[in-house]
Amino acid sequence: MKKAFSILMLCMFFFGCNIGEKPKFIGIENIGIAKASLDTINLKANAFFKNGNDLGGTLSTDEIRVYVDSTYVATVSSKVFKVPPRDEFTVPLLVKFPTSKLLQKGNGGLFGTILKQVMDNKMIVHFKGDLTYKFAGVSFDYPVHHSEEITIK
């Protein structure tokens, strides 16, 4: 009787729990300037996911590079994010870079950058790289290629 009950419980665990699928990457949204000063700019964005698993895991963002108007400015820096089970969740993406990166020769130098900002009040931010999901020694990469035009206020 104990053996039959054990087998029944084991079957219910394997077939009742949803652990075989990775969280679904929905996309990146809400890109904006969190803070700007004469020497640094802080950008923020959110990566949206939906986890259908009964168990969580972790997400890391160390491989996402950020470009502003086609100029590489920084790599996303954030702590490892703990994935909640059976839930939709948001991973905050934070980027801090020196303003001088936008004033480089490839962007038309200081005069070109100032002229562009005065004329447009916009810049194109591009996130490119991978988000990595890890669970029980297995990892999955989510390719990220997202561009968005943001308005400078």
Side-chain angles (χ1 to χ4, degrees), residues 51-62:
N51 186 12
N53 291 325
D54 291 323
L55 303 172
T58 61
L59 271 169
S60 61
T61 61
D62 298 338

Side-chain angles (χ1 to χ4, degrees), residues 6 24 28 48 63 73 83 93 100 109 116 125 141 149 151:
S6 296
K24 181 180 177 187
I28 293 181
F48 290 96
E63 299 297 322
V73 293
V83 175
L93 305 175
S100 62
K116 180 183 182 312
V125 179
D141 286 334
E149 185 177 80
T151 302

Side-chain angles (χ1 to χ4, degrees), residues 34-109:
K35 182 180 175 185
S37 66
L38 292 176
D39 60 340
T40 59
I41 296 175
N42 294 343
L43 294 176
K44 62 181 173 70
N46 293 318
F48 290 96
F49 286 86
K50 182 175 183 177
N51 186 12
N53 291 325
D54 291 323
L55 303 172
T58 61
L59 271 169
S60 61
T61 61
D62 298 338
E63 299 297 322
I64 299 178
R65 296 172 55 98
V66 180
Y67 300 82
V68 174
D69 292 333
S70 300
T71 301
Y72 168 75
V73 293
T75 301
V76 172
S77 62
S78 66
K79 296 178 183 177
V80 172
F81 184 84
K82 189 172 179 179
V83 175
R86 289 215 168 268
D87 199 5
E88 292 181 2
F89 61 95
T90 303
V91 178
L93 305 175
L94 306 172
V95 181
K96 181 178 181 178
F97 62 92
T99 306
S100 62
K101 291 269 192 169
L102 296 179
L103 305 177
Q104 293 174 346
K105 191 166 49 172
N107 263 352

